[in-house]
Amino acid sequence: MTNAASEFLRSAAAKSGDLRHRQILRTSVDTYNTAVARGKTRFVDWEAARRRAQAIKWEAVNHLDNYLLQFEARVKERDGHVFWAENGEQARKYILDLATARGVRTIVKSKSMVAEEIHLTTALEQLGIRVWETDLGEFIVQLRNEPPYHIVTPAMHLTRSDIAQLFKEKLGGVNTDDPEKLVAAARAALRRAFFSAEMGISGVNFLVADAGMIAITTNEGNGRLGSSLPKIHVALTGIEKVVPRLEDLAVLWPMLATAGTGQAVTCYNTLVGGPRGKDEVDGPEEFHVVLLDNGRSELLADVEQRDVLHCIRCGACLNVCPVYRSVGGHAYGTTYQGPIGSVLTPHLRGLHDFQHLSYASSLCGACTGVCPVRIDLHHHLLHNRRNAVKAGERAWGERFGFRAFRWTMLHPTWFAALGWAGRLALRTVNALGLGGTKLDPLRPWTKERAAPAIPARSFRSLWKERCGTN
Amino acid sequence: MEQTENSGRERILHRIRAALSGGPAHPVRESDAEIFAQIPDPLERFQSECATNHTECILTANATATAKVVGEILGPISGEIFLQDASELRQAATSFPTGLNLRWSSEGSPVEETQATVTLAEALIALTGSIFVSSACGGRSATVAAPLHIVVAHLAQLVPDLQTLFAAMGRDTALLKNSMLCLTTGSSRTADIEKILVLGAHGPKRLVVVLQRDQP
C-alpha cells in the first residue's frame, strides 16, 4: 500500500469516528440541500438544463484547440497576455518572474483551485511576497495553515466558535462569535490589502472563447476588487474551462450557482477581457491569463473519461457523497476532494499513488445524479478501478480473494458450507466473549458500528423452505 | 510588457490535437425543452427578485423624482461619494442636498475611504433581479468598491433574461469593447461561516436600484 493510501485510511477512520466533525458537516450539507431543492424549482426543467450544460461543455472540450486559440487571439487584441503552461512548475515560474520583475510586495488572491493544485501561494511567499487570500473561507483556512476543505466552502469544517477563536488569536482585537462581526473583521483586515496590493491573482470559472473574456464568479466581490484595483491582474486556469459563446453563460451561470449553493445566480458574475481600456477610469495596466495543462491533455486523450474535463467545480458531488460526508475534505489528501477528486486525481498525479481513492466510494451514483454537466462520475470510479487492476496496482491478496470468491460463487455446495462455517466461527467468537476484540474477524467493520445479529438460518435454507426450490 | 515567451504553447496544442485525433467523445443528446419559464411581467418579476436577493428597488416617475430619492439616500453620508461622470447624474446632482462630498469619475477612481458610489447600469435582468454593469459605469471598481452602491436605471433597460441580453449584444457592439462586464445580483455577501448569510463581505452592504419609468 502506498503512503498516500495508508494515510487516507488512517485519517478517514479517524474522521468518520469523530461525531462532532460529522455533526458540523451534516448541518452544513442539510442547509445546502434545502437551498438547492428551492433553487431547482426556479428551473422549469432542471434535466433539460443539465443536458444543455453538458452539450456546451462537450462542444468546447471536443474542439478544445480551436476554442483556446480563439480565446487567445481575442485577449491579445486587447493587449492582454496568454501564457500556456505545460505543468505547475512553468505556471509558477511565469507568475513568480512577473511578480519579481514588477517588484510586487503584496498580492490579493481570490479563489483558485488551480493555484492550490500548483502550490502557488507557498512559492510566492518563499519570495517574501505577502499573499492575502480574500475569499472569507480561504482567508480562514489560510490563517489556520490548512488547505481548503471543500471546493466551494473552504471552511466548511469549522464552527463560528472555531473561527472566533482563530480571529481572536490572529487578528488582534477581535473578540466575538457573531458571524456578522467576524465578517466585518475580515473585511477590515483585507480592505487595506485590496487598495495597496500591486497584483491580483484570480481563478477562472469560464474562458469565453468568442468574447475573449474570462468569467469569475464570487459572492463576496473579492474577485471584482482583485481584478480591478491592483495594477496587474493574473488569471490562472486549467485549459478545460473554455466555453464557446457568451450566450452559454445564460445557462451555466445559473446552473453553477444552483448546484454550488442553491442560489438563483451568484452575486458577482464578472467578465474580464483585458487590461484597463484607453478611455476607462481605472483597472489594471496588465492582464495575464495563465492556461495550465498539467495532465489535462492526457485526460483528453482518454475518450472514455474525457467528460471529466466538463467539470465546472460546483462542489455538488462532494455534498451528496456519503463518503465525503463521513471522512470530510482533508482526509483525501488531494486538491480536489470527493467523487470528482477521486476520479480526477489519478489522472493529474498518477494512478499509482491515487488509485485507492476510486475505492472510497459506495458506487451509489448520487454524484452522477447531481452533476450539472452530467459527468458519469461513478462509472469513472469503476473505470479507474479497472485501470488500476490492469496496471497491476492492486495487492495480490485482492486478486486471490476475487478468484476465490468467483470459484465459490460457481460451486453452491462449497458456498453453503463456507457460509455455515462462517456463522459457526462468529458464534464461537461471541460465545467465548471475543466479539469486538482483535480476534473477531468482523472487527474492521464492528469497531465503529453495532455488530449485526448473526441469523439463525441462511438465506438458502429460508428460500428452500418458502419456495421449495434450490 | 515584452512579448510573452510561450515555448509550451505549441507542445500543448500538439498534445490536444493528438488527443482529439481519435475523434470526438460519444455525442450527447441535447434537449430543446424550455429551461426557464416565460416572464409575463418583467417589472413585477424584477421587483420580486430584488426583494429576495436584498436589492432595494425604488420606482420613480421621472428624473426629478430620481434626483430627490438619490439625494435623500446620500444626505446622511459624510464621507466621499463617487459618481459616474454622466450628464444624467450631473443633472441629478444639482438638486442633491448641499454639503455632500462628491467626486466624479473624470477626476479619478474610488478610494479606500469612499462611502458610496452612484452609477448607471447597462441593463437590468428580470429573471434574477440583477443589474448588468460594465467598466463604462464609472470604471471597473465604482460598482463594487464602496459600502453603498446606488444604480440609476430606466425601465427601458429591463430585459427578461440574460439570454435576451446576450443575443442583443451581438458580437461587435460597444458593450463588448469594455474591459469588464458584470452581472450583479444583490449586494456582496458570504455564507462561509456555518452557511449563515452575511451581507457586505468585501463589496457593498447595500445595493439600491432607482428605477425610473421614463427615459433620461
Side-chain angles (χ1 to χ4, degrees):
Chain A
M1 197 185 291
T2 60
N3 286 342
S6 53
E7 180 55 28
F8 172 72
L9 286 179
R10 197 198 56 73
S11 37
K15 281 297 172 192
S16 47
D18 179 343
L19 296 181
R20 177 176 184 264
H21 174 261
R22 292 180 65 152
Q23 182 56 47
I24 295 170
L25 255 61
R26 190 177 305 140
T27 308
S28 177
V29 172
D30 286 351
T31 313
Y32 164 85
N33 284 339
T34 311
V36 171
R38 197 173 49 227
K40 280 185 183 167
T41 62
R42 302 175 56 93
F43 291 77
V44 195
D45 190 339
W46 175 251
E47 289 309 312
R50 289 176 75 210
R51 287 192 181 278
R52 188 81 52 85
Q54 181 190 22
I56 291 166
K57 287 301 297 185
W58 185 93
E59 165 67 19
V61 166
N62 283 282
H63 304 91
L64 192 57
D65 50 338
N66 295 345
Y67 288 120
L68 286 172
L69 288 173
Q70 196 184 349
F71 170 81
E72 181 193 42
R74 289 283 169 137
V75 171
K76 285 185 168 175
E77 278 169 19
R78 293 186 199 242
D79 299 324
H81 301 269
V82 178
F83 180 74
W84 304 61
E86 290 175 274
N87 49 44
E89 193 187 335
Q90 289 179 9
R92 279 195 307 271
K93 184 173 185 311
Y94 181 78
I95 298 169
L96 262 55
D97 287 351
L98 181 67
T100 310
R102 302 292 183 273
V104 170
R105 305 300 312 151
T106 307
I107 292 176
V108 279
K109 188 177 153 293
S110 39
K111 212 161 157 22
S112 160
M113 292 310 293
V114 175
E116 296 293 326
E117 181 182 326
I118 67 168
H119 307 290
L120 179 62
T121 302
T122 317
L124 288 162
E125 284 171 346
Q126 278 165 0
L127 280 184
I129 296 172
R130 180 75 161 98
V131 182
W132 294 86
E133 292 288 351
T134 59
D135 171 85
L136 178 63
E138 294 280 350
F139 179 64
I140 291 166
V141 293
Q142 186 189 33
L143 288 179
R144 285 170 61 94
N145 260 325
E146 276 180 352
Y149 204 75
H150 185 285
I151 296 175
V152 173
T153 326
M156 187 187 201
H157 58 309
L158 302 173
T159 62
R160 77 182 88 174
S161 59
D162 296 331
I163 296 162
Q165 187 58 36
L166 177 74
F167 279 17
K168 195 175 166 185
E169 284 165 23
K170 305 271 177 160
L171 310 176
V174 181
N175 194 1
T176 173
D177 70 350
D178 175 359
E180 199 148 329
K181 288 180 183 147
L182 290 169
V183 172
R187 177 185 172 117
L190 289 165
R191 199 150 173 85
R192 192 79 279 271
F194 273 122
F195 280 87
S196 60
E198 300 92 359
M199 180 184 274
I201 296 179
S202 74
V204 170
N205 292 90
F206 304 103
L207 295 162
V208 187
D210 70 346
M213 298 181 112
I214 61 158
I216 313 171
T217 294
T218 72
N219 268 314
E220 299 178 11
N222 55 324
R224 283 211 52 198
L225 287 168
S227 63
S228 297
L229 298 171
K231 64 182 183 197
I232 306 164
H233 173 205
V234 178
L236 175 62
T237 176
I239 51 175
E240 81 284 13
K241 290 286 178 71
V242 75
V243 296
R245 296 161 298 264
L246 203 51
E247 288 96 306
D248 297 331
L249 298 178
V251 178
L252 290 172
W253 273 345
M255 291 195 77
L256 173 64
T258 301
T261 63
Q263 287 172 280
V265 66
T266 315
C267 279
Y268 297 100
N269 284 296
T270 311
L271 290 156
V272 176
R276 171 186 187 172
K278 279 186 198 72
D279 305 320
E280 292 181 351
V281 171
D282 58 0
E285 293 157 19
E286 292 181 37
F287 175 58
H288 299 258
V289 181
V290 178
L291 300 174
L292 179 72
D293 181 343
N294 210 29
R296 288 163 174 80
S297 57
E298 282 166 50
L299 181 50
L300 189 70
D302 183 346
V303 178
E304 187 178 56
Q305 295 199 39
R306 189 179 285 166
D307 70 342
V308 175
L309 295 171
H310 292 188
C311 177
I312 58 171
R313 306 280 188 265
C314 67
C317 61
L318 281 62
N319 296 330
V320 298
C321 179
V323 175
Y324 182 90
R325 282 153 68 168
S326 298
V327 308
H330 286 158
Y332 289 83
T334 56
T335 304
Y336 306 98
Q337 314 89 356
I340 185 65
S342 300
V343 170
L344 183 62
T345 313
H347 291 279
L348 299 184
R349 294 171 65 185
L351 192 62
H352 176 69
D353 284 326
F354 292 96
Q355 48 95 9
H356 63 278
L357 294 178
S358 297
Y359 292 80
S361 165
S362 61
L363 299 177
C364 67
C367 46
T368 306
V370 77
C371 178
V373 289
R374 290 173 49 93
I375 301 172
D376 197 0
L377 285 160
H378 71 294
H379 282 111
H380 291 330
L381 291 169
L382 279 174
H383 296 146
N384 279 352
R385 292 186 191 187
R386 180 205 57 207
N387 295 346
V389 171
K390 270 191 184 169
E393 292 289 350
R394 301 301 295 174
W396 69 269
E398 183 180 280
R399 207 176 331 151
F400 173 78
F402 272 108
R403 283 204 182 143
F405 177 71
R406 179 173 181 270
W407 185 87
T408 315
M409 293 302 282
L410 290 169
H411 296 83
T413 316
W414 275 97
F415 183 87
L418 288 169
W420 175 82
R423 287 192 298 280
L424 181 66
L426 288 175
R427 279 198 200 98
T428 310
V429 164
N430 287 348
L432 294 172
L434 298 171
T437 68
K438 284 187 177 164
L439 290 172
D440 182 354
L442 287 185
R443 185 176 145 83
W445 177 261
T446 56
K447 67 180 173 187
E448 304 285 0
R449 304 168 183 87
I454 301 161
R457 294 173 60 190
S458 73
F459 178 81
R460 274 164 68 97
S461 84
L462 285 170
W463 180 273
K464 197 171 175 184
E465 180 187 298
R466 291 179 195 178
C467 304
T469 57
N470 242 328
Chain B
M1 192 192 161
E2 62 284 0
Q3 187 56 42
T4 310
E5 190 270 328
N6 251 354
S7 59
R9 180 178 183 273
E10 285 312 311
R11 286 195 290 274
I12 292 173
L13 282 168
H14 176 77
R15 277 204 296 273
I16 291 174
R17 285 169 182 150
L20 293 173
S21 64
H26 187 67
V28 297
R29 192 167 54 83
E30 200 175 340
S31 165
D32 291 330
E34 282 292 321
I35 294 177
F36 297 107
Q38 296 291 320
I39 297 171
D41 182 348
L43 177 59
E44 189 269 323
R45 176 64 178 255
F46 182 78
Q47 288 176 305
S48 79
E49 290 295 331
C50 283
T52 309
N53 69 36
H54 306 278
T55 301
E56 297 168 44
C57 179
I58 303 168
L59 208 54
T60 60
N62 51 40
T64 314
T66 299
K68 185 164 178 288
V69 166
V70 176
E72 277 167 9
I73 300 171
L74 294 177
I77 295 173
S78 55
E80 178 183 291
I81 297 164
F82 181 89
L83 301 94
Q84 175 184 347
D85 199 347
S87 56
E88 185 183 346
L89 296 179
R90 284 270 184 191
Q91 183 59 39
T94 57
S95 54
F96 286 170
T98 51
L100 291 181
N101 179 7
L102 304 183
R103 199 158 61 86
W104 295 90
S105 61
S106 50
E107 302 160 27
S109 54
V111 292
E112 196 178 335
E113 295 75 22
T114 304
Q115 290 305 306
T117 59
V118 185
T119 73
L120 305 177
E122 301 284 1
L124 306 176
I125 319 288
L127 178 72
T128 47
S130 312
I131 57 166
F132 197 79
V133 296
S134 76
S135 39
C137 302
R140 273 163 74 150
S141 60
T143 42
V144 73
L148 165 65
H149 179 206
I150 302 175
V151 178
V152 174
H154 299 272
L155 206 47
Q157 292 181 293
L158 183 63
V159 296
D161 52 31
L162 208 50
Q163 187 68 48
T164 313
L165 175 71
F166 284 147
M169 272 162 72
R171 287 291 78 88
D172 293 309
T173 63
L175 199 49
L176 271 175
K177 293 205 168 66
N178 291 298
S179 71
M180 190 279 299
L181 300 168
C182 186
L183 177 77
T184 305
T185 310
S187 52
S188 160
R189 65 198 56 198
T190 182
D192 275 346
I193 301 175
E194 289 187 9
K195 294 249 171 211
I196 297 161
L197 180 70
V198 177
L199 299 182
H202 294 299
K205 199 179 173 79
R206 205 177 153 202
L207 174 65
V208 184
V209 176
V210 182
L211 182 50
Q212 192 178 311
R213 282 188 180 276
D214 71 358
Q215 286 296 314

